[in-house]
Amino acid sequence: MTPLRPVLLAAIVTAGIAAIPAALVVLPADASGDATETPTFRRIDIDTGILGASFTSVGQVLGTEQDIVTSGYGELDDNGRPVGGGTLQLYRPGARLNTWTKVPVFGAGAGIVFPNATTIDDVDGDGDNDIIVPSGYFFGTDASAPTWLNTTGAITWWENKGAGTPFTKHVVVEGQAGSYHGVQHVDLDGDGTLDLVAVSEEAKQAGNQVDDEVRTQFFQGLGGGAFAAPVELAVNLGGSQPVVYDVDGDDDLDIVSSQYFHLLNSMSTSASFLWLENTDTDGVLAAADFTPHTIAKLTDVGMGFQIRPVPGFHGPGTVSWIGTNHVNRCTFALLNASFAWPEQVIEFTPGDDLAAPWARTTLSDPATPPEACPSDYGTNRDDYPEFSNAITSRYGPGQGAPGVLGYGDVDGDGDVDLAVSGDGDRRLWWIENLGDGETALHRLTDQGEYFGQAGGAVVADLNGREGNELVFSSFDQDTLAIWTRDTETTPSPTPTPSTSPTTTPVTTVRSTLRVGPARQAVRAGRKATWSVRLRGADGGARRTVVVVFDPARGRQVRLGTITLRRAAAGVQQGKVVYRPTVAGRVIVRYAGLRVSPALRDTAAVDSARVVIR
């Protein structure tokens, strides 16, 4: 959602659940002058009563189906501030794309203010997926805001107890001044337990552009769904939707981020897209272990909204970094011509020197400059940007475009396209991958159809039929909807796992880890050997496990990381060699792995007892 200044616009309440007539998306003429085939999309509203519908994700929660999870900001006052908690709801698929069962995760009474982009993953290691919810109001410390809004920043996770049983709330952090928008659930410190990475954003005074505070934070995983207090890895660097990825290929994880807040403080040097290089050597993460590098500066592209790795955009085996800025070229042009950055979807390509700024390619209408802003732009704040066939934000305080992006095969031709929220543009878009680095921008919404401040942009096969659907939720319209090419004149088969790279892995294999012998008597200081056998999902990379020694008295000692080898289908094994001097336990931890876009295995742990004779 747009980080609005100074207020959020009130949501427009709509009613009824109905299919909207198909929107015809016209593709550009090809080189011969003939129009290429035009895919037709049909809109289906799933829920038109989500007050302040904000972010949406798709993944397996209840069973093996593809569930949709959508957050709602809830009721706002006349200044666009929350008057209470928001909501989170899950939608289970039925026999047709227009039949869904709504399952409340929590209501306004839970006190979760502005629930944002959820992460669907197995937090407690029990083999099913839970839901991680970042939240908070980023103008809560504005002098005019009610004092109860000062400390609404929180990260909670909601334990999946199975269909028919309420989700159980667990608190990671709460009572913070800053807002959390997105969370990564990964093993950042390499100790075998999954951690959390998030960014706290506090905009403070709505009218002050240079008082923002931004903090990239690490929450060390303690196992069983517990996490340590946050450790700040960077101050005033980072943004809403951080991504954890090994950028430099050195076998540790770095942090990649766009940035919207705290940019105008240093106009000439601020990075709106950046990455934090992990240089840690001892497994204890701190700010000194992360070196910032600029991908693109504010003066290059304006404020950043999102950046993410997109596998397969340039063919199998490739990974592309694609992001969106978040600007309003017409408003900024009225203030200062040097600020007239066009609203863009951008591919960032690193060079040989990863620390240097990355090359940029505009993917949204690269051959056609955006139309000139009309001379009367802004005379009517309710005007929509129909004058432009490019992504162009409407007028208004805080309005910017584009918003979130997703990826997958949109048109059914076998390659990876992009789905894009116009956000402040109020329209929805998709970008066709034409191959050989060429792209074409298409409007998804019909003429006069607006779905503004949209979250989601998920590309996923929801029903196992004809291709992928596009999933969006609109704050303006209080609505969750999907766009599909499926004519669906007959009931769908039982939904099958999607292979779309944009979805949460649809098949989860529960791993088992065995360390043997389970009890071993050793002479003090003599070498001893233990076997490690991991059973989980077949395929993917060779698995690694972290080994620690837990003495009967004293602190644990990390022995190192072991790379296992494949012994059979779904089985990898290795060995631990250690010279214990005191009694204790050898503990082996496996963090789990996303084997492919459609398959993952879970975390596992086992230990062996050591007796000194």
Side-chain angles (χ1 to χ4, degrees):
M1 306 297 293
T2 304
L4 299 181
R5 290 184 180 273
V7 297
L8 287 167
L9 300 180
I12 301 172
V13 178
T14 61
I17 297 180
I20 304 299
L24 187 65
V25 182
V26 180
L27 302 184
D30 62 21
S32 66
D34 297 327
T36 56
E37 185 178 355
T38 57
T40 300
F41 296 88
R42 179 169 61 105
R43 171 177 162 178
I44 300 172
D45 286 350
I46 295 175
D47 191 346
T48 60
I50 309 171
L51 195 58
S54 49
F55 290 90
T56 287
S57 57
V58 174
Q60 286 185 322
V61 182
L62 301 177
T64 59
E65 66 203 25
Q66 289 288 75
D67 298 319
I68 301 175
V69 178
T70 298
S71 54
Y73 281 171
E75 185 180 355
L76 308 180
D77 64 19
D78 292 340
N79 294 311
R81 297 192 182 101
V83 300
T87 63
L88 188 70
Q89 33 273 314
L90 178 149
Y91 299 87
R92 305 191 68 181
R96 290 182 171 89
L97 282 174
N98 64 349
T99 57
W100 295 79
T101 300
K102 183 176 181 177
V103 179
V105 178
F106 60 76
I112 306 298
V113 175
F114 274 26
N116 288 308
T118 57
T119 298
I120 300 173
D121 209 352
D122 184 2
V123 179
D124 51 6
D126 65 354
D128 58 24
N129 282 333
D130 311 293
I131 305 174
I132 308 172
V133 183
S135 58
Y137 180 60
F138 38 67
F139 291 117
T141 54
D142 188 291
S144 63
T147 55
W148 74 272
L149 286 177
N150 295 171
T151 54
T152 60
I155 298 175
T156 55
W157 68 273
W158 296 77
E159 183 180 356
N160 178 4
K161 295 286 192 176
T165 305
F167 287 79
T168 300
K169 175 185 176 182
H170 299 272
V171 176
V172 177
V173 66
E174 61 184 355
Q176 304 298 297
S179 170
Y180 297 98
H181 273 79
V183 173
Q184 290 272 290
H185 187 220
V186 295
D187 182 12
L188 184 65
D189 59 1
D191 68 352
T193 303
L194 298 181
D195 315 301
L196 299 180
V197 177
V199 176
S200 170
E201 297 173 298
E202 185 183 0
K204 294 188 176 182
Q205 302 296 323
N208 189 335
Q209 307 294 321
V210 294
D211 67 342
D212 308 336
E213 287 189 6
V214 178
R215 302 176 187 276
T216 298
Q217 296 178 338
F218 160 68
F219 300 80
Q220 184 181 30
L222 305 177
F227 298 90
V231 174
E232 292 183 354
L233 302 182
V235 176
N236 291 328
L237 292 171
S240 298
Q241 305 291 337
V243 172
V244 176
Y245 193 91
D246 185 4
V247 175
D248 48 9
D250 63 353
D251 295 326
D252 59 22
L253 295 175
D254 311 295
I255 301 173
V256 187
S257 182
S258 60
Q259 184 159 342
Y260 182 89
F261 293 109
H262 200 87
L263 285 177
L264 301 182
N265 304 63
S266 304
M267 287 285 293
S268 61
T269 59
S270 290
S272 49
F273 295 89
L274 60 112
W275 68 285
L276 301 173
E277 180 184 0
N278 185 348
T279 60
D280 172 63
T281 57
D282 61 6
V284 181
L285 299 184
D289 297 316
F290 288 84
T291 302
H293 301 294
T294 296
I295 294 174
K297 294 192 297 185
L298 171 69
T299 51
D300 298 326
V301 295
M303 289 81 79
F305 192 94
Q306 185 181 29
I307 183 171
R308 61 186 306 183
V310 176
F313 188 71
H314 290 298
T318 66
V319 175
S320 303
W321 287 95
I322 297 177
T324 55
N325 66 355
H326 198 67
V327 298
N328 187 322
R329 62 187 176 88
C330 296
T331 296
F332 292 152
L334 294 174
L335 300 174
N336 186 321
S338 64
F339 294 164
W341 305 289
E343 297 88 341
Q344 299 175 75
V345 179
I346 310 164
E347 180 176 3
F348 298 95
T349 304
D352 293 336
D353 181 4
L354 293 172
W358 297 3
R360 304 187 303 274
T361 303
T362 300
L363 302 179
S364 47
D365 267 4
T368 306
E371 294 85 345
C373 299
S375 58
D376 61 350
Y377 180 82
T379 56
N380 181 355
R381 294 194 178 195
D382 292 328
D383 281 345
Y384 291 90
E386 290 291 353
F387 68 87
S388 176
N389 289 319
I391 301 174
T392 305
S393 183
R394 63 169 287 185
Y395 183 86
Q399 294 298 304
V404 295
L405 71 94
Y407 58 90
D409 186 1
V410 173
D411 53 5
D413 64 356
D415 57 20
V416 176
D417 310 297
L418 305 175
V420 183
S421 162
D423 204 299
D425 180 287
R426 299 305 201 255
R427 297 169 290 185
L428 302 179
W429 306 85
W430 69 281
I431 295 177
E432 182 184 9
N433 185 348
L434 300 176
D436 297 325
E438 300 296 321
T439 57
L441 179 71
H442 306 290
R443 184 166 63 182
L444 179 66
T445 44
D446 205 353
Q447 185 76 22
E449 177 189 8
Y450 304 115
F451 210 74
Q453 294 191 93
V458 179
V459 184
D461 183 359
L462 298 176
N463 65 348
R465 287 173 60 98
E466 185 184 336
N468 292 321
E469 280 70 48
L470 287 77
V471 187
F472 289 94
S473 48
S474 171
F475 175 86
D476 288 359
Q477 302 297 318
D478 295 339
T479 295
L480 167 66
I482 61 177
W483 277 257
T484 180
R485 294 183 295 112
D486 187 354
T487 57
E488 200 182 52
T489 57
T490 59
S492 303
T494 301
T496 56
S498 168
T499 57
S500 166
T502 62
T503 64
T504 304
V506 297
T507 299
T508 300
V509 176
R510 185 165 186 172
S511 302
T512 59
L513 186 64
R514 294 291 179 265
V515 180
R519 181 185 183 277
Q520 185 171 184
V522 182
R523 291 184 182 274
R526 293 288 184 91
K527 181 172 69 175
T529 302
W530 290 265
S531 64
V532 178
R533 188 175 179 87
L534 176 69
R535 183 180 297 275
D538 193 25
R542 293 174 64 183
R543 310 302 199 267
T544 59
V545 295
V546 173
V547 184
V548 300
F549 182 71
D550 184 20
R553 294 182 180 179
R555 301 179 62 181
Q556 288 188 359
V557 178
R558 176 169 170 161
L559 304 184
T561 300
I562 298 175
T563 300
L564 306 180
R565 58 181 176 82
R566 189 176 188 272
V571 179
Q572 297 198 24
Q573 63 185 26
K575 64 181 180 179
V576 175
V577 179
Y578 180 53
R579 300 175 186 268
T581 57
V582 296
R585 291 185 306 151
V586 172
I587 302 174
V588 179
R589 295 191 179 99
Y590 171 58
L593 181 73
R594 297 184 186 275
V595 180
S596 75
L599 181 67
R600 67 155 292 163
D601 55 20
T602 64
V605 62
D606 194 29
S607 63
R609 184 182 174 191
V610 179
V611 177
I612 299 298
R613 63 186 182 189

